[in-house]
């Protein structure tokens, strides 16, 4: 039933740079996978309230209201409970597991009362492998409980003195069904907590001082990381929160960025557009390089570029092309799609899918996004070694041979291949950036051939993909449908932002795709995508719209649209993939593309407001062009 599920927006995100968890405003962890983002879930009640598993902490015996916030400049989440008897807080965080991949991941839930008295109950009900396999329970008196099922396990460490002398402390622990409950009472100034750990570790007693020490270490890490940002613009709080959200979705051992930490959250409640986003899309992560460099996070950008180059190296010579559109966080490409028929899905939205069948699609735009990120890194001093350049030349030769091949396109439609304009123009970007690097660095390359094919793409788009009657660039040749992905054309330098052809296209999008500040990616009724149902507006496209307005000289509109978009964030500043008719968040949450496009729009809009709308790219202008 719908009342069993919180709103998608009613969540905060915590993580340790290898996996993450969602905590709702009632203090329930209803999504957690371990040991990685793309591992099977241990807590998954977000997709099935009965079978999914959860970890909850909340007051008992009294009505309460809740408020949720992040500790300033950190990814530490505070859920506040307010009752007539007192005010309590649950402080959730994951100590950072940066560096080597590990099976051990820790969820710390500190409980404290700041005013009056609070009776509380913690309930831990793990369900392993998406709730598909039973688990064993091992209770160790005085130390805690371990739950295990095959390769997965979860240990609940006992917090505090195993002999309870004061009944006001969290004193009573009992097994409950396939989990356990902890109940007790705290007065103002008292603290206890729950510490959960994956990876098969034995239960042990943990005192409150150790919990607090882990809290201090985690707070220092996030504050130090946040202080590295060079952004000093108008929207510091929202940009900083978006940057930390992207960091939380980065798998530190490889540098890969997942599209979202969740699977199966619907683009339409009750519909079938329920995808698994716990993987790294070349497209999304490539755009993240622009965002990270715009904020001064050079190390993170460099880590992703290295991850990308490793993928190109592995794939050169494959018949399917030099790159797949997505990978697991470790770089492997086994993403076989299956459905979890035993789960009801979020508010009845089924099927629930894991894996992703779009992984083997041909989407030509990824080559442009990949090369743009490599070129951008190059302008910031992150130059390619010889072996890397050799791989790039092979990839661009492949683009020359295949850019005019029908494909599935950026939106991963399942309605058949088309000659999508966005894919074509991104192939232009790929060749253009390759030519720029070759000329600037004096690298050997088939520059004459690349230039010939780049110009051929340009001419084709200007003739076949320009719809004279509509006065606009359209989704693909043979249609009159508009597509919001083309909002990137001026950002990538394909068209001048005040070219009459572009201004006419933007006017057409204003009329057909824009609803106040919100932007639909295309009109699905006019362009069948092979799926039933409808969807909301795309937050990514809305922030692209901000940038397009600013570059086209409509600065007042751009700033107003941006400010309106900020009102659609949830209470913590987080965005899903889409926004519904009544402002609700839809799709997997939080969404990396939404946050990186917010950062890019903020950086670009700041620059245009300070200097006047024009053609200079603020991120490129900060690059160190090495000669």
């Amino acid at each position: 039933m719908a009342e069993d599920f919180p709103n998608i927006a009613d969540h905060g995100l915590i993580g340790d740079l290898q996996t993450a968890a969602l905590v709702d405003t009632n203090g329930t962890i209803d999504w957690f996978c371990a040991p990685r983002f793309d591992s099977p879930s241990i807590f998954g009640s977000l997709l099935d309230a009965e079978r999914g598993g959860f970890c909850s902490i909340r007051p008992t015996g009294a009505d309460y209201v809740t408020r949720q916030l992040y500790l300033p400049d950190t990814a530490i989440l505070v859920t506040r409970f307010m009752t007539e008897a007192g005010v309590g807080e649950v402080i959730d965080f994951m100590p950072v597991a940066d560096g080597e991949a590990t099976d051990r991941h820790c969820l710390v839930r500190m409980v404290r009362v700041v005013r009056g008295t609070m009776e509380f109950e913690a309930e831990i009900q793990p369900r392993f492998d998406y709730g598909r396999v039973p688990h064993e329970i091992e209770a160790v008196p005085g130390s805690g409980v371990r739950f295990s099922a095959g390769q997965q396990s979860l240990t609940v460490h006992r917090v505090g003195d195993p002999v309870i002398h004061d009944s006001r402390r969290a004193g009573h622990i009992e097994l409950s069904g396939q989990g356990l409950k902890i109940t007790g009472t705290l007065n103002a100034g008292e603290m206890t907590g729950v510490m959960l750990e994956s990876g098969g570790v034995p239960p042990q007693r943990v005192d409150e001082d150790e919990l607090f020490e882990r809290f201090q270490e985690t707070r220092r890490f996030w504050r130090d990381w946040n202080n590295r940002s060079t952004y000093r613009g108008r929207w510091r709080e929202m940009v900083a929160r978006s940057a930390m959200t992207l960091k939380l979705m980065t798998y530190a051992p490889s540098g890969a960025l997942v599209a979202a930490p969740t699977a199966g959250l619907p683009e339409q409640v009750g519909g079938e557009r329920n995808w698994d986003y716990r993987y790294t899309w070349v497209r999304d992560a490539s755009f993240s390089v622009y965002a990270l460099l715009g904020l001064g996070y050079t190390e993170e950008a460099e880590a992703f570029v290295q991850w990308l180059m490793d993928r190109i190296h592995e794939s050169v010579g494959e018949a399917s092309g030099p790159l797949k559109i997505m990978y697991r966080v470790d770089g492997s490409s086994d993403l076989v799609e299956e459905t979890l028929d035993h789960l009801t899905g979020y508010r009845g939205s089924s099927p629930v899918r894991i894996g992703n069948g779009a992984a083997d699609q041909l989407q030509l735009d990824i080559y442009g996004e990949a090369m743009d990120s490599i070129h951008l890194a190059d302008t910031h001093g992150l130059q390619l070694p010889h072996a890397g350049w050799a791989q790039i030349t092979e990839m661009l030769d492949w683009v020359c041979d295949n850019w005019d091949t029908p494909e599935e396109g950026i939106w991963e439609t399942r309605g058949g291949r088309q000659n999508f304009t966005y894919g074509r123009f991104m192939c232009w970007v790929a060749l253009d950036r390759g030519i720029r690097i070759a000329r600037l660095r004096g690298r050997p390359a088939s520059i004459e051939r690349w230039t010939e094919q780049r110009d051929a793409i340009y001419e084709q788009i200007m003739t076949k993909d320009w719809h004279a009657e509509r006065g606009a660039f359209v989704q693909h040749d043979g249609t009159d449908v508009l597509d919001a992905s083309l909002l990137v054309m001026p950002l990538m330098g394909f068209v001048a932002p005040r070219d009459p052809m572009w201004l006419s296209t933007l006017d057409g999008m204003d009329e057909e795709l824009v609803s106040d500040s919100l932007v639909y990616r295309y009109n699905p009724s006019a362009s069948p995508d092979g799926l039933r149902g409808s969807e909301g507006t795309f937050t990514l496209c809305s922030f692209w719209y901000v940038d397009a307005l600013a570059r086209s000289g409509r600065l007042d509109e751009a700033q107003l649209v941006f400010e309106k978009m900020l009102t659609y964030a949830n209470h913590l500043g987080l965005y899903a993939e889409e926004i519904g008719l009544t402002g609700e968040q839809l799709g997997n949450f939080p969404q990396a593309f939404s946050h990186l496009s917010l950062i890019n729009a903020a950086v670009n809009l700041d620059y245009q407001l300070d200097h006047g709308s024009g053609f200079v790219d603020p991120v490129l202008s900060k690059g160190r062009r090495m000669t």
Side-chain angles (χ1 to χ4, degrees):
M1 297 181 67
E3 56 266 26
D4 294 328
F5 295 87
N7 294 325
I8 292 173
D10 290 344
H11 288 89
L13 181 71
I14 60 173
D16 65 359
L17 310 188
Q18 294 191 23
T19 186
L22 263 62
V23 186
D24 74 14
T25 51
N26 277 315
T28 298
I29 297 177
D30 54 17
W31 185 256
F32 172 61
C33 301
R36 303 189 320 201
F37 293 104
D38 55 357
S39 299
S41 65
I42 295 175
F43 299 136
S45 60
L46 189 58
L47 297 180
D48 192 310
E50 181 178 344
R51 301 178 184 88
F54 62 89
C55 174
S56 66
I57 301 177
R58 64 189 61 185
T60 59
D63 294 333
Y64 60 86
V65 296
T66 68
R67 297 290 185 271
Q68 209 171 47
L69 71 153
Y70 279 111
L71 197 68
D73 300 329
T74 77
I76 298 172
L77 187 64
V78 182
T79 306
R80 291 169 57 81
F81 296 96
M82 303 172 192
T83 71
E84 290 186 357
V87 177
E89 296 179 340
V90 177
I91 302 171
D92 287 306
F93 63 94
M94 295 182 68
V96 175
D98 198 0
E100 297 296 322
T102 177
D103 290 337
R104 295 182 62 173
H105 299 277
C106 190
L107 287 164
V108 178
R109 314 204 69 188
M110 295 169 54
V111 183
R112 68 175 185 173
V113 170
V114 295
R115 296 180 62 189
T117 300
M118 187 179 86
E119 298 179 11
F120 72 91
E121 175 183 88
E123 185 170 5
I124 303 164
Q125 295 287 347
R127 299 292 184 269
F128 296 94
D129 191 22
Y130 309 105
R132 290 188 289 192
V133 298
H135 58 265
E136 298 179 352
I137 304 173
E138 176 191 3
V140 180
S143 296
V145 177
R146 179 164 58 187
F147 304 95
S148 58
Q151 298 298 313
Q152 284 189 302
S153 67
L154 184 73
T155 299
V156 182
H157 298 297
R158 179 66 180 262
V159 175
D161 195 323
V163 179
I164 302 301
H165 299 293
D166 186 345
S167 63
R168 295 176 302 173
R169 302 300 294 261
H172 187 63
I173 301 176
E174 63 179 11
L175 295 177
S176 174
Q178 292 299 301
L180 61 83
K181 287 184 179 181
I182 306 171
T183 58
T185 302
L186 295 178
N187 288 333
E190 294 180 332
M191 184 190 81
T192 184
V194 175
M195 190 168 111
L196 315 176
E197 191 168 7
S198 66
V201 297
Q204 60 182 341
R205 187 179 71 84
V206 177
D207 60 34
E208 288 90 341
D209 289 342
E210 181 176 341
L211 290 191
F212 190 70
E213 182 179 346
R214 291 184 177 230
F215 165 80
Q216 294 280 57
E217 291 173 354
T218 305
R219 181 170 62 177
R220 280 195 297 271
F221 172 87
W222 285 107
R223 287 184 171 175
D224 289 346
W225 188 85
N226 187 63
N227 287 337
R228 286 173 47 203
S229 174
T230 58
Y231 179 75
R232 299 294 182 268
R234 294 165 175 80
W235 299 285
R236 294 187 191 181
E237 185 175 348
M238 288 298 293
V239 167
R241 181 52 54 199
S242 288
M244 280 186 277
T245 302
L246 290 179
K247 183 69 170 176
L248 282 168
M249 289 189 277
T250 301
Y251 183 68
S254 69
L257 174 76
V258 296
T262 57
L265 292 181
E267 297 175 15
Q268 178 188 27
V269 174
E272 68 168 333
R273 300 168 185 257
N274 319 310
W275 314 111
D276 189 348
Y277 275 17
R278 298 171 299 155
Y279 309 114
T280 300
W281 269 252
V282 168
R283 176 186 307 111
D284 303 35
S286 295
F287 274 109
S288 75
V289 173
Y290 188 96
L292 292 167
L293 289 176
L295 303 182
Y297 290 113
T298 307
E299 292 178 10
E300 285 77 4
E302 184 176 13
F304 171 72
V305 171
Q306 182 58 57
W307 179 91
L308 177 61
M309 293 305 304
D310 289 343
R311 306 290 78 72
I312 295 173
H313 173 73
E314 293 167 356
S315 302
V316 165
E318 290 192 8
S320 60
L323 283 173
K324 290 185 176 291
I325 68 168
M326 72 181 85
Y327 298 86
R328 292 187 179 274
V329 291
D330 62 357
S332 61
S333 56
D334 177 18
L335 283 83
V336 175
E337 187 174 298
E338 61 179 305
T339 60
L340 302 179
D341 295 329
H342 66 290
L343 298 181
T344 63
Y346 178 83
R347 296 187 177 178
S349 303
S350 63
V352 175
R353 298 180 177 91
I354 56 173
N356 200 303
D360 293 323
Q361 287 187 355
L362 176 64
Q363 298 177 19
L364 292 173
D365 65 281
I366 63 174
Y367 299 100
E369 288 130 0
M371 281 305 302
D372 189 63
S373 67
I374 291 168
H375 171 256
L376 187 61
D378 182 82
T379 67
H380 283 70
L382 307 177
Q383 296 184 40
L384 290 171
H386 168 70
W389 178 248
Q391 294 155 19
I392 291 298
T393 60
E394 288 188 52
M395 184 179 77
L396 293 181
D397 287 341
W398 183 92
V399 171
C400 286
D401 293 333
N402 292 274
W403 67 261
D404 205 18
T405 304
E407 43 136 358
E408 277 86 4
I410 179 177
W411 304 128
E412 299 174 4
T413 60
R414 302 193 178 189
R417 292 186 172 187
Q418 299 288 348
N419 298 320
F420 287 107
T421 306
Y422 183 77
R424 297 297 178 274
F425 116 72
M426 274 297 177
C427 286
W428 178 94
V429 171
L431 295 171
D432 179 74
R433 302 313 191 255
I435 292 167
R436 294 188 191 194
I437 296 174
R439 286 176 172 166
L440 178 65
R441 304 297 180 196
R443 298 291 178 90
S446 305
I447 292 182
E448 184 175 346
R449 185 185 183 215
W450 293 357
T451 303
E452 178 185 2
Q453 293 302 308
R454 181 197 63 182
D455 295 348
I457 297 170
Y458 183 90
E459 292 298 331
Q460 184 181 97
I461 292 174
M462 289 299 177
T463 54
K464 291 186 177 181
D465 298 321
W466 169 257
H467 197 288
E469 292 181 10
R470 293 221 61 178
F473 294 105
V474 291
Q475 189 178 67
H476 57 81
D477 55 8
T479 186
D480 63 356
V481 172
L482 301 181
D483 192 312
S485 65
L486 302 185
L487 287 165
V488 183
M489 292 175 99
L491 172 64
M492 290 294 179
F494 180 84
V495 64
R498 300 196 188 187
D499 186 312
M501 295 175 74
W502 172 248
L503 295 177
S504 177
T505 301
L506 190 56
D507 288 341
M509 292 186 185
D510 288 341
E511 182 177 339
E512 185 169 311
L513 300 182
V514 179
S515 174
D516 194 27
S517 64
L518 303 172
V519 180
Y520 290 94
R521 54 181 183 170
Y522 55 84
N523 182 350
S525 63
S527 177
D529 57 13
L531 296 166
R532 297 187 301 274
S534 61
E535 60 187 15
T537 58
F538 262 57
T539 299
L540 160 70
C541 297
S542 299
F543 286 120
W544 278 350
Y545 181 58
V546 170
D547 187 79
L549 289 173
R551 289 171 186 266
S552 299
R554 296 161 61 179
L555 279 175
D556 288 344
E557 288 180 71
Q559 185 169 7
L560 179 59
V561 169
F562 187 80
E563 293 286 357
K564 285 183 177 179
M565 281 304 301
L566 298 185
T567 69
Y568 287 104
N570 83 339
H571 58 290
L572 297 168
L574 306 183
Y575 293 87
E577 182 175 36
E578 301 181 21
I579 296 171
L581 289 175
T582 60
E584 72 274 21
Q585 302 273 357
L586 295 171
N588 285 302
F589 181 87
Q591 176 83 359
F593 228 153
S594 298
H595 287 278
L596 65 89
S597 62
L598 182 155
I599 293 170
N600 291 341
V603 170
N604 290 339
L605 184 55
D606 268 317
Y607 188 90
Q608 304 293 346
L609 289 170
D610 290 341
H611 300 88
S613 59
F615 300 89
V616 177
D617 188 295
V619 178
L620 281 175
S621 70
K622 292 191 291 186
R624 300 190 301 276
R625 291 176 172 80
M626 314 291 283
T627 59

